[in-house]
Amino acid sequence: MRRPPERRVVLADVARLAGTSEATASRALKNDPRIGETTRAAVRAAAAKLGYVPNAAARSLRAKRTHILGLLLDDLADPVHGKVAAGFEAAAASQGHAVFIMTGLHDPDREQRALTAFVEHRADGIALASCVIDPADVHARVPAERVVFVQPDYPRLADGREPPARGVLRSNDAGGFAMTVRHLVEQGYRRLAYVGPGSGSSDALRRAAASDALAGTPAARMRFLDSGVDGWRDPSDVAGALAEDPPDAVVCYDDKLALALLDRLRSTRLLVPDDLAIVGFDGIPAARESRPRLTTVDVPSVELGRRAAEMLMIAGRDGGRLPPSEILPVHLIVGESTPRRTAGERRQAPRVAVASRRGAGE
Amino acid sequence: MRRPPERRVVLADVARLAGTSEATASRALKNDPRIGETTRAAVRAAAAKLGYVPNAAARSLRAKRTHILGLLLDDLADPVHGKVAAGFEAAAASQGHAVFIMTGLHDPDREQRALTAFVEHRADGIALASCVIDPADVHARVPAERVVFVQPDYPRLADGREPPARGVLRSNDAGGFAMTVRHLVEQGYRRLAYVGPGSGSSDALRRAAASDALAGTPAARMRFLDSGVDGWRDPSDVAGALAEDPPDAVVCYDDKLALALLDRLRSTRLLVPDDLAIVGFDGIPAARESRPRLTTVDVPSVELGRRAAEMLMIAGRDGGRLPPSEILPVHLIVGESTPRRTAGERRQAPRVAVASRRGAGE
DNA sequence: TTGTATGCGTTATCAA
DNA sequence: TTGATAACGCATACAA
């Protein structure tokens, strides 16, 4: 087994072995067209023989470009964020860029530290996905041309400003929620409920979108339930509230919550979808395997990541500028959890014996 | 909104404003004990006022330490790998290390390129999780003291060598599979089947472990079915094969496959768990929400990632050495998919009408 | 087509 | 306790 070289071999070593100057060796290795064919071959041979690996730090220091992209996201263990990361990494790697990934975990201080790390390493571009940090705080530390926000709920709805023309990448979450609500209405559901964490700008956006979509249907009503931020871990309370006064259909903040709720509802007298239709959001794989299959909205997470990296790399080229902000389309996936429903179809008597609100089915 | 400084602020600027030399400024900023209190305060004030952010490339170049850790894994979109990444990142960040993440996607060339990137950036340590690259190839390019393999199937079983005393981090997958098989036997199952991709060293290890665990139970039998590498996307063929000649229980390569199979089996006359028990592996969240809840093995993925980063950071301290290799324990999680079974309990007549082998339930 | 010389921003060595 | 100076490894302006 060949060992890695003890003392790191540097360009000077390559140049010496090839019998050229450092400058020539440097040029030869990056295929500068004005280097002779024989010289180039000699340099390449020397580099290969010595196992030369250029030092990125030195290169960056001199060239003022690092070919490093930073990605700050909320949680790598979350499948949706993981897909964003996967798309980002794939796009970056395909163009020879390295990727720093840090997680914010919903903690503004952590996000600030991540930003510091990116700036220290002089990342050519930075993407922030689902971050809680204020965009203004980011722009105070990083030139706007080097940052992309991957954030459907950008900016906070509260301040009413339009998002900037560049540097924002969104999926059409509002449109997606409107689609699910319209779908429910078309399928015959009228008494709807929205269940979400109850806080966070993303929840606010989804809640508003769902609500707005009902504006044209006077007969329809929507009420709102809070699951809490960690509600998807144990939505017993929500399941209980639903069981006490069941709507016709539930619109969930995301698939994670919808699937947990679906599971929890098995402990109540409510049968999905017969008594209660349910829709999720995100299109995670588990939604395709649940029973009943979940009606949901497919969000192009990989694509969001990929596009973010591409935007940053375009802006990173010299003279390059950040492309215009984009909104990527989402797609309704109709599953089995929202069947067509005609008035009065609802079961009058539960098929399943009443179960305790907690614990059954454990 | 404060703008980021136009010309990057460098140490010399800070020193000038603070009225000291660069050397003093440098020392003051890193809390060198021999710098006077007043000087230090002046330097810190100047740095803060100018918004100084040290240049990591310059620092690394000089200090010969980057505080960068590289993580090469198979696929960020996969929840198991995502958890490894999350643990790795959290541990690294907690000690001020930045993390490069690259994905190999089962492609040896890609893995080589990732390795190159890590070496170019002079990562202080490199973790390889579930990679297909030959460890010898890695050690030829990177000193062994800087690499950790996170790989339960290290080394390839075929060559029979013991894994090295340092630099390998494993979960006890073999033990986990033995646990599931023993559990099945204890629950009364005798005719078992293993379903796995049919290739890859990880599959070989799990298959062998499952098989070995049956050695002490002469009455029990195990047969082996191949789902193909992408079998979890559509395990129709496996489901069909199982329906034709059903075993009592199926041991799946992982949860992803088990859940997909569980879903597919709904289109057959086989009822889980009445006709067929099923166990998975990994302990992904969806396994806790499936119907029936999946019996599986919880693998400490986050912990694996965390520990890998810690090992590398320990080895990275000067004079530091890589801690001994470790095997992290796994835990059996008994769900509803493997109920106790007494001989002859099996249903004689299918409750559900025969469905076509494909397509039903779409 | 190639070589020489300089500087990127920081830290470490030595001297004061 | 502080300052001057020399690297670190590479890329480029300029000269040849």
Side-chain angles (χ1 to χ4, degrees):
Chain A
M1 184 170 73
R2 205 176 29 159
R3 298 300 320 285
E6 273 320 317
R7 194 180 64 79
R8 282 249 60 116
V9 11
V10 299
L11 190 58
D13 301 321
V14 176
R16 197 174 316 115
L17 181 59
T20 76
S21 70
E22 278 189 67
T24 301
S26 172
R27 291 174 184 130
L29 289 176
K30 65 178 39 158
N31 289 323
D32 189 309
R34 47 189 195 176
I35 294 296
E37 211 29 78
T38 51
T39 321
R40 175 176 331 207
V43 171
R44 305 196 84 89
K49 178 169 183 192
L50 296 176
Y52 170 69
V53 182
N55 183 319
R59 190 207 306 265
S60 305
L61 190 57
R62 180 63 233 244
K64 309 229 171 265
R65 190 156 298 175
T66 58
H67 291 267
I68 292 174
L69 260 32
L71 173 62
L72 174 57
L73 38 68
D74 203 56
D75 180 11
L76 273 165
D78 180 276
V80 176
H81 290 158
K83 288 179 77 171
V84 173
F88 191 90
E89 194 276 338
S94 77
Q95 296 190 35
H97 287 242
V99 174
F100 269 131
I101 297 188
M102 312 209 75
T103 58
L105 303 179
H106 260 81
D107 175 354
D109 289 341
R110 247 187 103 102
E111 294 189 357
Q112 286 284 5
R113 285 199 298 275
L115 226 46
T116 301
F118 292 155
V119 175
E120 285 190 348
H121 287 278
R122 303 294 189 265
D124 286 346
I126 298 174
L128 294 94
S130 306
C131 291
V132 298
I133 198 172
D134 186 330
D137 288 348
V138 177
H139 287 139
R141 305 182 55 187
V142 187
E145 285 292 318
R146 307 184 156 290
V147 186
V148 168
F149 293 87
V150 181
Q151 211 156 355
D153 54 325
Y154 181 101
R156 313 284 181 280
L157 285 177
D159 61 13
R161 286 175 307 175
E162 276 301 299
R166 296 167 192 281
V168 178
L169 198 48
R170 292 179 289 179
S171 50
N172 189 8
D173 287 16
F177 268 80
M179 287 162 87
T180 63
V181 171
R182 280 200 303 269
H183 168 70
L184 287 172
V185 169
E186 282 166 12
Q187 297 290 76
Y189 300 93
R190 289 294 177 273
R191 298 168 56 235
L192 311 184
Y194 171 94
V195 180
S199 63
S201 51
S202 197
D203 180 56
L205 180 143
R206 297 176 185 202
R207 179 179 298 235
S211 183
D212 291 353
L214 227 51
T217 313
R221 286 283 173 275
M222 179 168 302
R223 65 186 227 257
F224 297 90
L225 278 72
D226 288 352
S227 66
V229 174
D230 276 344
W232 57 274
R233 291 186 194 279
D234 180 5
S236 300
D237 293 343
V238 174
L242 289 172
E244 276 173 32
D245 178 15
D248 302 330
V250 182
V251 179
C252 293
Y253 173 78
D254 64 7
D255 285 346
K256 208 159 56 172
L257 177 58
L259 291 173
L261 191 55
L262 191 59
D263 178 58
R264 258 294 167 243
L265 287 169
R266 290 190 205 134
S267 313
T268 69
R269 58 182 176 77
L270 287 175
L271 215 56
V272 177
D274 305 51
D275 298 318
L276 185 66
I278 184 167
V279 302
F281 196 85
D282 278 344
I284 66 177
R288 295 176 213 266
E289 292 173 353
S290 67
R291 180 157 185 77
R293 276 168 179 57
L294 196 61
T295 292
T296 182
V297 173
D298 190 48
V299 173
S301 305
V302 175
E303 193 69 7
L304 282 171
R306 192 183 65 66
R307 192 69 190 125
E310 285 175 355
M311 284 184 167
L312 291 172
M313 291 187 291
I314 289 172
R317 300 205 260 269
D318 37 29
R321 220 184 141 195
L322 218 46
S325 296
E326 289 179 22
I327 299 185
L328 302 190
V330 299
H331 300 284
L332 181 68
I333 299 178
V334 177
E336 307 160 347
S337 65
T338 55
R340 179 167 299 282
R341 173 178 188 278
T342 52
E345 191 184 330
R346 182 172 200 156
R347 292 185 304 109
Q348 292 307 316
R351 280 186 217 155
V352 178
V354 173
S356 74
R357 200 169 125 186
R358 274 182 188 259
E362 282 298 82
Chain B
M1 182 169 75
R2 203 176 30 158
R3 299 299 320 285
E6 273 320 318
R7 196 179 63 78
R8 280 250 62 115
V9 175
V10 298
L11 190 58
D13 301 322
V14 176
R16 195 172 320 116
L17 181 58
T20 76
S21 70
E22 282 188 62
T24 300
S26 172
R27 290 175 185 128
L29 289 176
K30 65 179 39 159
N31 289 322
D32 188 309
R34 48 190 192 172
I35 293 296
E37 212 30 78
T38 51
T39 321
R40 174 172 335 205
V43 170
R44 304 196 84 88
K49 179 168 184 195
L50 297 176
Y52 169 69
V53 182
N55 182 320
R59 172 183 311 189
S60 304
L61 189 58
R62 183 64 234 238
K64 305 215 170 283
R65 190 156 299 174
T66 58
H67 291 269
I68 292 174
L69 260 32
L71 173 62
L72 174 56
L73 38 68
D74 205 55
D75 180 10
L76 273 166
D78 180 276
V80 176
H81 291 158
K83 289 178 76 170
V84 174
F88 191 89
E89 194 277 337
S94 77
Q95 296 190 35
H97 287 242
V99 175
F100 269 131
I101 297 188
M102 313 210 74
T103 58
L105 304 179
H106 261 79
D107 175 354
D109 289 341
R110 245 187 105 103
E111 294 189 358
Q112 286 284 3
R113 286 198 297 275
L115 226 47
T116 301
F118 292 155
V119 175
E120 285 189 348
H121 286 277
R122 301 295 189 267
D124 286 347
I126 298 174
L128 295 93
S130 306
C131 291
V132 298
I133 199 172
D134 186 330
D137 288 349
V138 177
H139 287 139
R141 305 182 54 188
V142 188
E145 285 293 318
R146 305 184 159 292
V147 185
V148 168
F149 292 87
V150 182
Q151 211 155 356
D153 54 326
Y154 181 101
R156 311 289 180 279
L157 286 177
D159 62 13
R161 286 174 308 175
E162 276 301 301
R166 293 167 193 283
V168 178
L169 199 47
R170 292 178 290 179
S171 50
N172 189 8
D173 287 15
F177 269 81
M179 287 162 86
T180 63
V181 170
R182 281 199 303 270
H183 168 70
L184 287 172
V185 169
E186 282 166 12
Q187 297 290 78
Y189 299 93
R190 289 294 177 272
R191 298 169 55 234
L192 311 184
Y194 170 93
V195 180
S199 64
S201 51
S202 198
D203 181 56
L205 179 144
R206 296 176 185 201
R207 179 180 299 233
S211 183
D212 291 352
L214 228 50
T217 313
R221 286 283 172 275
M222 179 168 302
R223 65 186 227 260
F224 298 90
L225 279 71
D226 289 352
S227 65
V229 175
D230 276 345
W232 57 273
R233 292 187 193 280
D234 181 6
S236 301
D237 293 344
V238 174
L242 289 171
E244 277 173 30
D245 178 15
D248 301 330
V250 182
V251 179
C252 293
Y253 173 78
D254 65 8
D255 286 346
K256 207 159 56 172
L257 176 59
L259 291 173
L261 191 55
L262 191 59
D263 178 58
R264 258 292 167 244
L265 286 169
R266 289 189 208 136
S267 313
T268 71
R269 59 185 174 73
L270 287 176
L271 217 55
V272 177
D274 305 52
D275 298 318
L276 184 66
I278 185 167
V279 302
F281 196 85
D282 279 343
I284 65 177
R288 294 177 214 264
E289 292 174 353
S290 68
R291 180 155 186 79
R293 277 169 179 54
L294 196 61
T295 291
T296 182
V297 173
D298 191 48
V299 173
S301 305
V302 175
E303 193 68 8
L304 282 171
R306 192 183 64 68
R307 192 66 191 129
E310 284 175 355
M311 283 185 169
L312 292 172
M313 291 188 291
I314 289 172
R317 301 204 259 268
D318 37 28
R321 221 184 142 195
L322 219 44
S325 296
E326 289 179 21
I327 299 185
L328 302 190
V330 300
H331 300 284
L332 181 69
I333 300 177
V334 177
E336 307 160 347
S337 66
T338 56
R340 179 166 299 281
R341 174 177 188 276
T342 53
E345 191 184 330
R346 183 173 201 156
R347 293 185 304 107
Q348 292 307 315
R351 279 185 219 157
V352 178
V354 173
S356 74
R357 200 168 125 188
R358 276 181 186 259
E362 283 298 81

